[in-house]
Amino acid sequence: MATIQDTLATALAHHQAGRLGEAAALYRAVLDAAPGHADALHLLGVAHLQAGHPVEAEALIRAAIAADRRTADYHDNLGSALKAQGRLEDAAAAHRQAIRLRPDFAQALYNLGNALDGLGRRDEAVAAYRQAAAKRPGYARASFNLGNALAALGRRDEAIAAYGAAVAADREFVEAHANRGALLLALGHLAEAGPALARALALRPDHATALANRAAVLLALGHGAQADDVARRAATAQPELAEAFLQLGEVRQRANRLAEAGDTYAAALVRSPDLAEAHANLALVRQTQGELDAADIGIRRALVLRPDLSEARSNLAYLQLFRPGATLAGALEAHRAWDAVHGAPLRAGWKKHRPVSGPADRPLTVGILSGDFRRHPAGQFAVRTVEALPAQGVRLFLYANQTEDDDLTARFRAAAERWVPVATLSDAELAERIRADRPDVLIDLAGHNARGRPGVFARKPAPIQAAWSGYMATTGMAAVDLLIADRHHVPEGAEALYSERVLRMPDAFIAYDPPDGAPDPVPPPCLSGAPVTFGSFNILTKLNGPVLDAWADILTRVPGSRLLMKTKALSCPITAALWRSKLAGAGIAPERVTMVGATSSLEHMAWCASVDVALDPFPFAGSTTTLETLWMGVPVVTLPGETFSSRHSLAFLTVAGVEGCVAHDAREYVELAAGWACDPARLATLRAGLRARMAGGPLCDGPRLAEHLAHSLRAERDRAARST
């Protein structure tokens, strides 16, 4: 006849093999023979818990504890039963009792961490997980959950180390590999993220999240076709996972497949209607396609769902600059709205800056933060000046928020006393790094544009902060003291509608660095008898009804003339068809229009030379496009307004000495464009001499601008020192 111990051992064997029904029957048999048997009560409770019956489990385990209060396992499993019921405070108390009874009880420490994490007490959870991992070396699950908790706290380097410990303990821990890869990707460590994600996928090829992140790595490395394939596999592997479609949409958006990207983001929203990032990304597609109303609606919807989406609110402010009738007052209001939500809460944390001691003529230390120390408009506008600043007694600390480098990057690095890669740092971490470096002035080259870090500037890491070159409006931020501009962009009397004090440079606020290898200017095409060609090289976001109406009038005034439109978004056939329809609606026949999408930089310059007269959009004028077109000797007809972004072409034309291109209203805009088109000799004269005039003048003179900029910033530093 079997003894109680024999029956209990047989029951436990069934239990460990997963045969819960057989185990439970034998536990009950033990209890029939020995009511109040603590182990049988406890194990029967555990079987009920594993079968999904936590209430019954709790009652049985409490009965076991009543029979024997000194066994730590009973209290630990009671905590698990309470957690399964959502009673997290009670669960934490039970786990703590287990730990008091057995201080080296690693599993109880792990379970305590889970309860505390569920309560949102992540710092305490981190401590519990750390103790669990220390008590049981190689405890992969504890290290994994430690990584999750640290990642949620933003302690990313520690989280990566914890995930590393988890995979070291268990090489086949798929989720640990996947989470480690995801976090490395978020930090920009692509060389490490790729292998981590590849290992996860080797273990589970259909892991949708790892596939989506692998696609992101490939996209960041410039492998667009492979990224598309992997992202599609992610969406197929888990069709209900909205985040997989989010990544696939980004791949297609980067490839200028805008219509497909829009459809993919829409598919993400079908699966998760409240996914704010999908609304924001779809809005960006619509913005790129020139559908401003749809973009505005999408951004606002994203912000209702996620008011903390700083980038979306930046984009909403930026979008207002493209609206017909845009005003300085409206721009200021829109940008101050960003500061009210994202900047104002940080002001309580501003720290007083200690004056830097030394002689009055000590070097000026200038930090510049940018994600565009490369061939990008902000980089091309700044590089010549930055290269010339050290000769003006300026120490340069360049904070590079980028992962892509090129020949322009090398020039920036050569000018810097300190080159600091910062793409992997959070806003708070980067602000502390800058504060520790103690620059006299910190300059922003991005503002609310892509790769901008307004959250860093909002923390006021430097005593004087300035906006320059990469953004086309006020920042609206109380933390930004200065706007580096010129009299053309910010004429006298406009200062009141900027949140910053205006530092005016004597000519233009930038010094243009033309692309190497640009083809030489050639005579205007119309001089050889070809039809007059008007050109626009601006993003579709800048085009609107009044612009199209003016273009239609110009083409009517110049019979037989044609219109060339070239911009990346037109690489998407559906987007091109949309704009052919818009042009037709404005009275511009499709056969008079040529559309060109993305090309190489030098091919782009050749396209600029293929037009006779360039037409600037309004109210958001061209900047880089205007300079590129002028470099090829082509006049740019512009209609400036009152906003900073409407006055780029005015500034560049004026400094370059090009007359007869600046209109005061739409009627004059048409007249000026038609006048240039009807005067081939005048066009030829401009082409023959404009490049040399630009190259030898202030528009490309980095040292001249550097001298004035250094003088102005040094005066600001000294003024601030006197006021402290």
Side-chain angles (χ1 to χ4, degrees), residues 660-709:
C661 286
V662 180
H664 295 88
D665 55 34
R667 180 177 178 180
E668 188 179 8
Y669 178 91
V670 173
E671 294 290 337
L672 291 174
W676 276 101
C678 296
D679 195 344
R682 186 181 178 202
L683 290 171
T685 300
L686 185 68
R687 292 230 184 185
L690 181 54
R691 179 176 293 190
R693 196 156 76 239
M694 288 176 68
L699 197 54
C700 296
D701 192 342
R704 173 178 166 84
L705 180 55
E707 179 183 0
H708 288 282
L709 181 59

Side-chain angles (χ1 to χ4, degrees), residues 647-669:
R647 302 175 70 83
H648 298 316
S649 296
L650 161 68
F652 302 151
L653 288 161
T654 303
V655 175
V658 180
E659 299 179 347
C661 286
V662 180
H664 295 88
D665 55 34
R667 180 177 178 180
E668 188 179 8
Y669 178 91

Side-chain angles (χ1 to χ4, degrees), residues 536-540 542-543 566-567 615-617 620-623 625:
S536 170
F537 302 94
N538 290 274
I539 58 175
L540 300 177
K542 296 183 179 183
L543 307 186
K566 181 184 182 300
T567 189
L615 302 176
D616 206 28
F620 202 124
S623 54
T625 52

Side-chain angles (χ1 to χ4, degrees), residues 556-580:
T556 298
R557 286 286 305 275
V558 186
S561 60
R562 298 182 55 80
L563 174 66
L564 169 69
M565 293 174 61
K566 181 184 182 300
T567 189
K568 290 179 181 179
L570 294 175
S571 298
C572 171
I574 294 175
T575 302
L578 168 69
W579 278 89
R580 287 190 184 278

Side-chain angles (χ1 to χ4, degrees), residues 358-398:
D361 61 349
R362 69 184 184 279
L364 176 72
T365 303
V366 174
I368 304 179
L369 171 57
S370 178
D372 299 312
F373 293 126
R374 57 195 179 89
R375 288 222 165 269
H376 177 277
Q380 289 174 270
F381 289 172
V383 66
R384 290 193 172 190
T385 307
V386 169
E387 288 176 319
L389 283 172
Q392 298 297 324
V394 175
R395 302 175 64 206
L396 283 174
F397 300 169
L398 301 189

